[in-house]
Amino acid sequence: MKNITTKEVTTQAFDDQKPGTSGLRKKVTQFQQVGYLENFVQAVFNTIAPCAGKSLVLGGDGRFYNREAIQVIIRMAIANGFSHILVGKGGILSTPAASCVIRKHQTCGGIILSASHNPGGPDEDFGIKFNGENGGPAPEKLTDEIFQQTLSITHYQTIDAEDVELDQLGTLQIAQTQIEIIDPVIDYADLMESMFDFDAMKSLFKQGDFQLCFDAMHAVNGPYAKEILERRLGAPAGTVINGVPLTDFGGGHPDPNLVHAHELVNLLHGEDALDFGAASDGDGDRNMVLGKNFYINPCDSLAILTANADCIPAYSKGISGVARSMPTSRAVDRVATAMNIPCYETPTGWKFFGNLLDAGKITLCGEESFGTGSDHVREKDGLWAVLFWLNLIAVKKQPVSNIVRNHWAKYGRDYFTRHDYEAVDSGDAQEMIRQLKEKIPSLPGQIFSGSQSAGLTIESADDFQYIDPVDNSKTTEQGVRVYLNNGGRIVFRLSGTGTQGATLRVYLDCYQNNPDLFEQDTQEALSELIQVADTLAGIKRFTGREKPDVIT
């Protein structure tokens, strides 16, 4: 194309574009406001400027407004001087695959369009975030700078140009910019094949008696799972269900938990249950893994993968350390102690693992919210976790339930649950947390004497803060932690991943080393803590809810 002229478009700043733990998430209708998407993108480009001569990765999870947003960003990237834009075919790139492409092609970073596990559709959620040259989410310092840019922005840059054809591999030159439409799967699939023992996993399917189902939930990981599980590993056709990405995720909620992945859960229960099942979320970075009539808690999953890392080719020479988000149970801490490796406790948000990974302090990391990953990329990685488990099953030649129970026998069991109260009035939720924080100094020594909690005493309490061991940056007010004398812990925090109201998350965990009590129902095992949590914070009073909306 010739005679491309950059336009400077006058705009009005918005005051609600502060990125949360995983970028900016709002309703589609908010992003469709005149200048809303453009303002945020220009704020990103202003923050990382100069953009001239740089390369950028661009893609998303395929949700509603994904394709339209990509066209807007391409035109703006050209106007801002980028020399090379790598775009996933069809506008598709899973979040871990985007991180992989950023790292492999050594770009200055990438823009990922996703609201992760939130619903999609014309009236649902959309999101955007910037990942840096290491492939990981922008650190707080950078997102703070982006937010400041959004508050003072007066114009954005773009060009007049026709939409780019996204469904055909190849390159296109517009002005100084080469736009390359890339296969969104190949780089990631090749990376996975280099890390795991694909021959061992192939043997599971050659025997013909191992039954697997992967539920892609009509989200981004469908094409990735089909390529890796069915084509490269030889799993039967149809192993991947709901494998076509849809703009509204087929009307479902692309959150891989026991509530929303009910189709998969049903296949893993009963007399004819499958041997192994897994699901991933909207943008492919989360995972849920299930055995035959057996649920694997994400906290246990991180601990078990850490304990068995030497079974995987990529980690056979050992791992440098491990990290978990603060609300995640302390199961992995016990493994790290036994392995004599460091274990770091970070705030919620994958970006906090980035410094530790880049500095070589950790190899594996994870969150209770169905996210696990390693130093191969700088995002949590749903399909990677599934392949890790498959590799483990192939090497140990044991069913999932045996692997988990053997782990408990060695390390004890950390019972864990998370209670989510969704779309709670923000004012009420914030007032509840404010009052709870005021109580912190007086909590130690308090004794609870309810019907199920007689004799439970609070040993300590605090509002979690984190000092990064790499750059000494400080992050405060990350959740109220309460420790009790039975080895239990309660964490209260408000989530930053929703788009309306507030989501109150209450995390409860308790260590158990009596083998006779390893098979308790989780909610029953934690019933004392559940009662204490409500009494302590006044959950029913502030939320108006008799029970959580989601229990995981």
Side-chain angles (χ1 to χ4, degrees):
M1 288 187 180
K2 298 180 180 180
N3 301 320
I4 295 296
T5 302
T6 297
K7 296 196 308 182
E8 196 170 274
V9 181
T10 301
T11 189
Q12 296 290 319
F14 296 88
D15 63 3
D16 63 345
Q17 294 193 318
K18 184 175 178 60
T21 54
S22 298
L24 181 67
R25 294 182 187 172
K26 302 288 181 183
K27 292 296 181 185
V28 167
T29 50
Q30 286 180 263
F31 273 101
Q32 289 174 325
Q33 295 176 86
V34 175
Y36 196 88
L37 172 65
E38 291 86 347
N39 281 18
F40 189 81
V41 172
Q42 189 63 56
V44 171
F45 292 163
N46 289 349
T47 302
I48 65 171
C51 301
K54 291 181 178 178
S55 297
L56 182 75
V57 171
L58 177 59
D61 61 16
R63 68 178 57 233
F64 189 88
Y65 197 56
N66 187 74
R67 295 176 74 99
E68 295 87 344
I70 283 176
Q71 300 292 351
V72 169
I73 297 167
I74 288 174
R75 288 191 283 268
M76 292 184 65
I78 295 168
N80 279 270
F82 284 93
S83 63
H84 190 195
I85 310 172
L86 295 98
V87 187
K89 181 183 176 183
I92 293 293
L93 270 177
S94 77
T95 292
S99 182
C100 168
V101 173
I102 291 168
R103 293 169 64 81
K104 178 177 178 178
H105 296 273
Q106 298 181 320
T107 71
C108 77
I111 291 180
I112 301 174
L113 303 172
S114 172
S116 188
H117 54 294
N118 294 8
D123 300 313
E124 296 295 350
D125 298 343
F126 189 75
I128 179 171
K129 69 173 182 174
F130 177 74
N131 279 32
E133 63 184 359
N134 72 341
E140 278 196 320
K141 181 181 179 182
L142 190 61
T143 57
D144 286 344
E145 291 176 11
I146 292 170
F147 177 53
Q148 291 305 313
Q149 286 281 342
T150 69
L151 295 176
S152 59
I153 196 165
T154 58
H155 65 272
Y156 61 85
Q157 293 179 296
T158 188
I159 62 168
D160 286 324
E162 295 180 359
D163 284 354
V164 171
E165 172 56 62
L166 298 177
D167 297 312
Q168 189 70 40
L169 297 178
T171 60
L172 170 69
Q173 189 79 27
I174 301 179
Q176 82 290 336
T177 308
Q178 182 187 70
I179 302 164
E180 184 177 358
I181 308 301
I182 64 170
D183 185 319
V185 175
I186 192 73
D187 285 340
Y188 176 84
D190 287 348
L191 177 61
M192 293 300 102
E193 191 161 2
S194 74
M195 297 178 68
F196 295 102
D197 187 344
F198 271 37
D199 288 337
M201 287 186 274
K202 286 177 184 177
S203 68
L204 289 173
F205 303 109
K206 285 179 181 177
Q207 295 165 8
D209 57 355
F210 182 81
Q211 294 182 298
L212 161 70
C213 179
F214 183 93
D215 187 352
M217 303 187 84
H218 286 302
V220 77
N221 252 352
Y224 296 86
K226 286 182 179 179
E227 170 65 24
I228 295 173
L229 297 176
E230 295 185 5
R231 296 190 186 101
R232 299 198 183 194
L233 291 179
T239 292
V240 179
I241 63 173
N242 302 317
V244 178
L246 299 176
T247 58
D248 65 348
F249 306 115
H253 190 147
D255 192 354
N257 60 42
L258 294 171
V259 175
H260 298 306
H262 52 82
E263 181 178 358
L264 176 72
V265 171
N266 290 339
L267 293 172
L268 272 294
H269 281 80
E271 290 185 8
D272 298 322
L274 304 182
D275 298 292
F276 185 72
S280 59
D281 68 332
D283 67 333
D285 62 358
R286 296 178 186 229
N287 74 90
M288 177 175 70
V289 282
L290 303 168
K292 180 180 292 187
N293 295 303
F294 199 90
Y295 167 66
I296 307 172
N297 186 283
C299 304
D300 278 348
S301 183
L302 174 61
I304 293 166
L305 300 189
T306 301
N308 293 280
D310 59 353
C311 294
I312 308 302
Y315 314 111
S316 60
K317 295 181 180 179
I319 60 177
S320 59
V322 66
R324 63 168 174 84
S325 67
M326 180 272 287
T328 302
S329 89
R330 294 157 287 174
V332 74
D333 302 41
R334 307 181 204 288
V335 175
T337 298
M339 294 175 66
N340 195 30
I341 59 174
C343 181
Y344 299 88
E345 182 180 35
T346 72
T348 295
W350 207 260
K351 58 190 175 186
F352 293 102
F353 294 137
N355 274 3
L356 299 172
L357 290 164
D358 287 345
K361 289 183 176 294
I362 63 171
T363 305
L364 303 181
C365 46
E367 300 178 328
E368 50 69 37
S369 55
F370 298 88
T372 329
S374 86
D375 58 0
H376 68 289
V377 291
R378 293 298 181 267
E379 289 279 4
K380 49 184 172 278
D381 191 345
L383 198 46
W384 167 89
V386 174
L387 293 172
F388 200 129
W389 269 100
L390 278 176
N391 203 155
L392 206 53
I393 292 166
V395 170
K396 288 185 171 291
K397 295 180 170 54
Q398 295 175 355
V400 164
S401 57
N402 285 21
I403 293 173
V404 177
R405 288 186 172 111
N406 288 341
H407 181 87
W408 291 342
K410 183 174 181 178
Y411 295 100
R413 180 175 181 183
D414 284 81
Y415 281 98
F416 174 89
T417 189
R418 188 181 89 191
H419 289 192
D420 289 358
Y421 299 82
E422 298 178 334
V424 175
D425 179 84
S426 294
D428 290 341
Q430 289 167 6
E431 178 61 18
M432 189 198 85
I433 296 296
R434 187 192 68 78
Q435 290 189 21
L436 188 58
K437 288 180 179 179
E438 282 188 349
K439 296 178 184 176
I440 287 175
S442 63
L443 289 180
Q446 240 184 80
I447 300 173
F448 292 84
S449 55
S451 59
Q452 298 180 39
S453 55
L456 277 187
T457 304
I458 295 178
E459 292 187 336
S460 63
D462 65 8
D463 187 358
F464 179 61
Q465 64 178 26
Y466 175 68
I467 298 177
D468 191 298
V470 178
D471 62 16
N472 292 317
S473 59
K474 188 175 182 178
T475 306
T476 61
E477 299 183 284
Q478 292 300 300
V480 175
R481 301 185 296 182
V482 179
Y483 296 89
L484 294 105
N485 65 339
N486 69 336
R489 183 186 67 156
I490 306 169
V491 175
F492 303 87
R493 63 180 290 273
L494 300 181
S495 171
T497 59
T499 59
Q500 63 183 68
T503 296
L504 168 66
R505 301 202 198 282
V506 183
Y507 312 81
L508 309 108
D509 66 271
C510 193
Y511 180 62
Q512 178 58 256
N513 60 5
N514 181 350
D516 294 336
L517 299 176
F518 284 170
E519 301 295 334
Q520 285 181 286
D521 172 79
T522 297
Q523 302 306 308
E524 180 182 337
L526 297 172
S527 58
E528 288 183 318
L529 291 184
I530 293 169
Q531 185 181 48
V532 170
D534 182 54
T535 303
L536 186 60
I539 296 172
K540 292 177 183 176
R541 176 164 56 90
F542 278 103
T543 67
R545 312 284 174 83
E546 286 297 316
K547 60 181 182 179
D549 296 283
V550 179
I551 296 176
T552 51

